[in-house]
Amino acid sequence: MLKELSAKVFVTALTRAPWVSHMNAGSCNGCDIEIVAALTPRYDLERFGIKLMGSPKHADVLLCTGSVTRAMAPRLRRIYSQMADPKVVVAIGGCAISGGVYHKCYNALGGIDKVLPVDLYIPGCPPRPEAIAFGVYKLLQKLGGNDI
Amino acid sequence: MSITKYLVAGKTALVNLFSKPNTVLFPNEMVETSEDYRGTPVLVPENCTLCKKCERICPTLAIKIEKLGDVEHQFIIDLGRCCYCGECEAVCNFDSIHLQNVWMTAEMDREKLKRISTVYKRRKK
Amino acid sequence: MMILRILEFFIFPGALFAIVLSVILMWLVRKLAARMENRVGPPFLQPLYDFAKLLAKERVYPEKSMRLVLWLIPILQFSVALTMSLFLPIISPEGLISFDGDLFFFLFLLGIHGSSAFFLGWMSNNPYGGSGSGRAVLIELSFEIPLSLSLAGIANVARSMRISEITLYMAGVFFTFGSFGKILLIIPWSLLLIISLISTLGALEYNPFSAGHAETEIVAGWMTELTGPDLALVKMSEFLNLTNLSVLIAALFLGGPPVYEIGLYTRFVTFLVFLVKTLLVVFALAFIKTISSRLRVDQSTEGMWKYLLPLALGGVILILLIQQYGGA
């Protein structure tokens, strides 16, 4: 009874205060700029309690961009293993989902899901800030238990 | 670091405090996109002649046309690969592929990003 | 009677009330900052959700770090901040704990809180933590003296070292503009108020003096290696410190909760006046935080030592002169 209640309180708190950290795994910087644009006063993700943290150790959500380069893959794995449970990975942009325009590159693994378990895919090249906001909104609804 | 800069910043802050915020309240309001915005590519299966021009020109191999039966073909647009360049729309002679004003396409599942439609090959006249 | 006293310590106006008030004040600071930046800002009680979420998260310790220190110092910071909140005058000019010279005990606890951040960063075996803790302790060293001096100036006006007596005196002084000297005291009073507000920003590591955990250059400074409950306690002690310092400034400079006797609602009106004064101080803090950008650590120490310290000294000397020759 108490365990269920505390779990419910925690899930509510997590959906209302997801702190994000940003990881560039070989992106062209387009998606990174759109992530920053989603945090500006125009779109203001702090309405959902989302805060951009400097340290991935403080974050619950890892926003990954870029087709994963060979040099970046072990670092991505290491950053992920340093994050505290429970954690969520979001792949932003075409490169992070499948390699996108870099799909033939000799040095790109092509996609975050080759390295980490991805929970949300946000397509776009780059995605609009609202597309990122919508993706995060959808993820929060899913975590809270109501599907949209 | 002069004091006048701080005064200007303070005045702006006070003006902002007593005016309506500039934020678009997202799930309830939307930002209007421009008319030639290139969003999700959508196929019109009735117009398609399966000439495969779009499949050849796509720079990221996002379009795939697979033969299922004698006349039945599967037309797959993988949004996870698409780079929204609009080449397929430009190259199509039959107006059968359009980049529409749709961007709310985030999915939990990779397979759901593949937009699959069935196209039937038309007989030659 | 004993039970009532214990309830006072633990619920109102003690620990629980301090935590609730600091969560609300922290939300207010974030909301005000957001509105001044032309955006909507976080929903109500956002810091509480942050805290609850962090409490249930996993602990990750880095290799070769002193786990005991990483585990103990958040608890130390939280308990120190909670102890400081017991000195605050909330429903009466007298706090729950009050003795002669408690103003300087309060400042001593603030110093412990600031210097414990140094050990936390240093023991975490992380270059960001190390440099962040160095910066934090430098800023701590520079803001502490102007803050102490400005509070000492106010203590001189009231001729007491006890928070409750200073609060009582300052609450009364607004109605007794007796002599010319007392009106003259407004000049050093406003000077010391501004100085203490600025050095409070240093104590809370808010924006002009946030080099200690500058998230764009040294990840999160001295709290880089903290995770889960440890981070939650550090954050909560930060919230509590906001309450402590803003209530203290509201009490010492603006008079805090007054002691008017107006029948049935005395307690309520006292509490309300206290809230209004605290909110004024919090608004000033949020305003300065929003309009200023982060200074480098050498700039902030230079500003504190070169300008703030002489100004604070001048204010104290002015108060002494006015008391000697102005007949205040």
Side-chain angles (χ1 to χ4, degrees), chain C residues 7-257:
Chain C
L7 278 182
E8 263 189 350
F9 264 91
F10 279 96
I11 296 173
F12 185 84
L16 189 72
F17 174 72
I19 289 174
V20 170
L21 182 70
S22 50
V23 164
I24 292 175
L25 289 186
M26 194 63 210
W27 168 77
L28 201 70
V29 166
R30 281 176 66 177
K31 184 81 178 173
L32 279 173
R35 290 295 289 107
M36 285 180 203
E37 286 162 6
N38 213 347
R39 58 198 173 91
V40 174
F44 188 52
L45 290 186
Q46 180 60 44
L48 190 65
Y49 295 125
D50 292 351
F51 181 68
K53 180 206 75 179
L54 283 174
L55 270 188
K57 285 204 79 169
E58 186 198 6
R59 271 197 178 98
V60 180
Y61 290 116
E63 269 178 24
K64 292 179 195 163
S65 63
M66 279 188 75
R67 295 193 179 199
L68 188 69
V69 174
L70 284 192
W71 179 75
L72 266 179
I73 283 188
I75 298 174
L76 173 81
Q77 284 202 349
F78 179 68
S79 43
V80 162
L82 210 56
T83 315
M84 276 156 78
S85 73
L86 298 180
F87 288 91
L88 302 176
I90 288 173
I91 43 169
S92 67
E94 194 146 319
L96 283 172
I97 309 173
S98 181
F99 51 84
D100 232 0
D102 56 358
L103 180 60
F104 275 77
F105 189 66
F106 189 93
L107 285 171
F108 164 68
L109 288 179
L110 190 67
I112 288 184
H113 188 279
S115 49
S116 64
F118 175 74
F119 293 104
L120 195 59
W122 200 250
M123 299 298 176
S124 65
N125 190 27
N126 183 316
Y128 296 123
S131 64
S133 61
R135 291 178 181 195
V137 89
L138 258 177
I139 291 174
E140 156 90 21
L141 279 176
S142 24
F143 80 76
E144 196 117 286
I145 298 169
L147 183 64
S148 311
L149 270 177
S150 60
L151 296 187
I154 290 303
N156 242 317
V157 172
R159 294 175 205 276
S160 169
M161 295 289 261
R162 196 167 173 161
I163 293 175
S164 59
E165 282 174 12
I166 304 173
T167 310
L168 262 175
Y169 184 84
M170 293 308 287
V173 88
F174 289 111
F175 300 98
T176 50
F177 284 117
S179 60
F180 179 63
K182 265 188 182 167
I183 298 169
L184 259 187
L185 272 179
I186 288 178
I187 302 162
W189 175 83
S190 47
L191 183 72
L192 292 184
L193 176 61
I194 290 168
I195 287 170
S196 62
L197 277 178
I198 291 174
S199 34
T200 299
L201 287 170
L204 299 170
E205 293 199 15
Y206 276 175
N207 217 344
F209 311 116
S210 64
H213 56 237
E215 65 273 2
T216 43
E217 17 177 331
I218 48 167
V219 183
W222 51 271
M223 20 177 155
T224 307
E225 291 293 351
L226 292 174
T227 41
D230 300 340
L231 185 64
L233 286 182
V234 166
K235 289 273 174 199
M236 184 47 90
S237 65
E238 217 180 281
F239 304 164
L240 276 168
N241 248 353
L242 170 69
T243 315
N244 293 337
L245 287 166
S246 55
V247 170
L248 187 78
I249 289 174
L252 298 191
F253 285 89
L254 306 177

Side-chain angles (χ1 to χ4, degrees), chain A residues 43-63:
Chain A
Y43 302 106
D44 191 27
L45 287 187
E46 206 184 0
R47 284 181 294 132
F48 304 112
I50 296 171
K51 251 169 100 180
L52 186 67
M53 303 307 285
S55 167
K57 293 197 175 189
H58 300 178
D60 314 295
V61 182
L62 189 66
L63 304 176

